[in-house]
Amino acid sequence: MLAAVLTAVARRLAMGDTVITYTPHDRARLHLEEPKVADEREEFERDRARIIHSAAFRRLQGKTQVFGVRYGDFFRTRLTHSLEVAQIGKGLALRLGVDPTLVEAICLAHDIGHPPFGHYGEQVLRTGMAEHGSFEANAQNLRVLTQLEVKSDRYMGLNLTRSVLDGLLKYKAIHGSQPSLSKSCYAEDAPLLEWVCENGSAEERSFECQIMNWADDVAYSAHDLEDGIHVGMIALQHLRRPSNQDAVIQRVQAEAEERGRAWSADEVVRELDWLAARLLELEGLPTPRHSRAALKDLTSRLINEFVRCAQGAPRLGWSKALSERYRYGLMVPDAQERRCEVLKQVAFVLVFAEPRVTTLAHRARHMVERLFAVFQDEASAAMYPLEFQDIFAAARDDVQRRRVACDYIATMTDFQAERTYQRLFVPGYESILDPLV
């Protein structure tokens, strides 16, 4: 009987029926605002607009996704990745009966706290802040949206609705509260976290957050694959190398274990064989134009498969005391989840670990390390842009100065970080009249 009910609800969700009712509590903002005259938009549409018009969102166009933003206009940046995640997320929302504007806003903001040079910059800042409150890109999303962005002199941040902020919270633990967790929110954001999770869950992800997370995985797997094939790093000869296959199997199985899955080496190899067959087809086409068209078709079919397979189902034990954002959970069949993960790890092994990428990664880490060392020094106050000088001056101790330095560097684009590094450390670079930002 229960199985029949779950199947019926999953079918209803997959048909696109609206299943979640959003209350004024879900649309609430931390700070009260006077309504604008003749503003017909609903709250989630206003949230989406605030995100799109923010400086932090614009800066994503200058931040690395996989390949550095300087190395070709074809490759995806954090901005184009966020737009693609939003498009996939909106498609999932329409299919699953969730407010599409809400999911779109969450997806657009899901990487807004990322520092320059992708995960390489994040690693440096995480190490530098390890004993001083941590740095984590998801936690930084919350900090950017609720503190660092400027919209009004009456409050800090963009004053987004509870549902958008909750949808961004993939990790709801406070840093240091659970030593086993490497990803968590900053301790100083505990009161905000409590407000966001009111009538929600302090542990589980909302339905919209799960949709965003799957959309992000889908975009990574399909689009990083496309970029890697385009640049020649993901090719049949590289995929068939035994050492690469072993590395992919190890990484996929480690990720599966973290999720409570158990994917055998044979299952992973079958996915690698499937990808090898697709690469063989691409390499056998007569012209580059045919190859480009076939690659786009492959990407499109993968995204379609990953979107159509996703279903929602009621969470057992859901209480009416909780927001309906927690009534449903996202279900992805094991076969599609495994394929998506294999494609992500293929991109990591063949692209991220490729010497042309790792040498640039070393360079990026070196620049961020030196910038972080300079800007946390008390004597560096006058080197900050004007909007950060007051913040740095208000810092009471070394820990707070480290946080300001971390925030400032995390806002930088790749180009701004590189230019600032050269201005500080390369003799003869730039003039005194050149702008700092």
Side-chain angles (χ1 to χ4, degrees), residues 51 57 60 65 78-86 103-114 137-142 145 167-168 170 212-213 215-217 219-220:
I51 292 164
F57 184 73
L60 294 177
Q65 174 66 13
R78 284 281 168 189
L79 179 63
T80 57
H81 168 71
S82 296
L83 293 172
E84 288 168 336
V85 173
V103 171
E104 189 178 6
I106 294 167
C107 291
L108 288 171
H110 86 283
D111 268 353
I112 207 164
H114 263 277
N138 290 281
Q140 195 70 12
N141 290 340
L142 199 63
L145 295 170
L168 288 164
K170 293 167 63 175
M212 175 273 289
N213 194 51
D216 191 25
D217 282 349
Y220 265 121

Side-chain angles (χ1 to χ4, degrees), residues 2 32 47 56 59-60 96 102 118 155 166 180-181 192 196 216 222 225 265 275 278 344 350 356 379 402 406 420 428:
L2 177 60
L32 294 177
D47 282 346
R59 290 192 188 100
L60 294 177
L96 297 173
L102 170 58
Y155 51 76
D166 194 16
S180 61
L181 292 178
L192 176 64
V196 171
D216 191 25
L225 177 74
L275 178 58
R278 305 291 79 73
K344 283 171 61 181
L350 299 188
R356 284 175 288 176
R402 274 179 176 260
C406 181
T420 303

Side-chain angles (χ1 to χ4, degrees), residues 72-301:
D73 294 335
F74 171 86
F75 301 114
R76 289 168 169 88
T77 65
R78 284 281 168 189
L79 179 63
T80 57
H81 168 71
S82 296
L83 293 172
E84 288 168 336
V85 173
Q87 184 67 18
I88 295 168
K90 185 175 182 179
L92 283 163
L94 290 168
R95 177 176 173 77
L96 297 173
V98 180
D99 189 298
T101 306
L102 170 58
V103 171
E104 189 178 6
I106 294 167
C107 291
L108 288 171
H110 86 283
D111 268 353
I112 207 164
H114 263 277
F117 307 118
H119 296 296
Y120 311 118
E122 183 180 5
Q123 290 166 1
V124 173
L125 294 180
R126 181 180 297 132
T127 299
M129 295 297 294
E131 304 298 325
H132 306 278
S134 180
F135 177 84
E136 205 279 319
N138 290 281
Q140 195 70 12
N141 290 340
L142 199 63
R143 186 168 177 82
V144 168
L145 295 170
T146 61
Q147 294 187 54
L148 299 180
E149 273 299 304
V150 177
K151 184 185 184 298
S152 171
D153 59 4
R154 298 190 300 276
Y155 51 76
M156 303 287 284
L158 299 181
N159 199 28
L160 301 177
T161 60
R162 177 181 274 112
S163 293
V164 169
L165 295 178
D166 194 16
L168 288 164
L169 288 173
K170 293 167 63 175
Y171 312 101
K172 293 184 175 179
I174 296 298
H175 175 68
S177 63
Q178 300 180 45
S180 61
L181 292 178
S182 61
K183 297 182 177 182
S184 54
C185 296
Y186 303 141
E188 62 202 75
D189 289 331
L192 176 64
L193 184 62
E194 183 177 353
W195 177 83
V196 171
C197 294
E198 187 179 312
N199 287 11
S201 171
E203 298 175 356
E204 300 287 345
R205 296 174 180 176
S206 71
F207 194 25
E208 295 85 3
C209 183
Q210 295 175 71
I211 291 171
M212 175 273 289
N213 194 51
W214 179 238
D216 191 25
D217 282 349
V218 170
Y220 265 121
S221 64
H223 295 143
D224 287 0
L225 177 74
E226 181 181 350
D227 283 359
I229 292 173
H230 178 80
V231 81
M233 291 182 181
I234 298 178
L236 190 59
Q237 60 176 330
H238 303 144
L239 184 67
R240 284 179 168 168
R241 193 172 296 161
S243 60
N244 287 337
Q245 293 214 354
D246 289 343
V248 171
I249 292 169
Q250 290 174 11
R251 291 186 62 86
V252 169
Q253 289 185 321
E255 182 65 27
E257 185 177 350
E258 284 190 15
R259 300 183 189 180
R261 304 286 193 271
W263 296 331
S264 69
D266 288 343
E267 289 175 310
V268 178
V269 168
R270 281 199 293 272
E271 294 300 334
L272 293 174
D273 289 343
W274 175 88
L275 178 58
R278 305 291 79 73
L279 293 175
L280 183 62
E281 291 170 359
L282 291 172
E283 293 178 10
L285 293 172
T287 68
R289 181 177 178 83
H290 285 89
S291 297
R292 286 285 296 276
L295 179 56
K296 291 302 296 184
D297 181 62
L298 172 61
T299 303
S300 178
R301 285 188 286 112

Side-chain angles (χ1 to χ4, degrees), residues 376-389:
Q376 65 183 275
D377 192 299
E378 193 171 0
S380 68
M383 292 193 291
Y384 278 93
L386 293 178
E387 63 268 26
F388 267 93
Q389 287 186 12

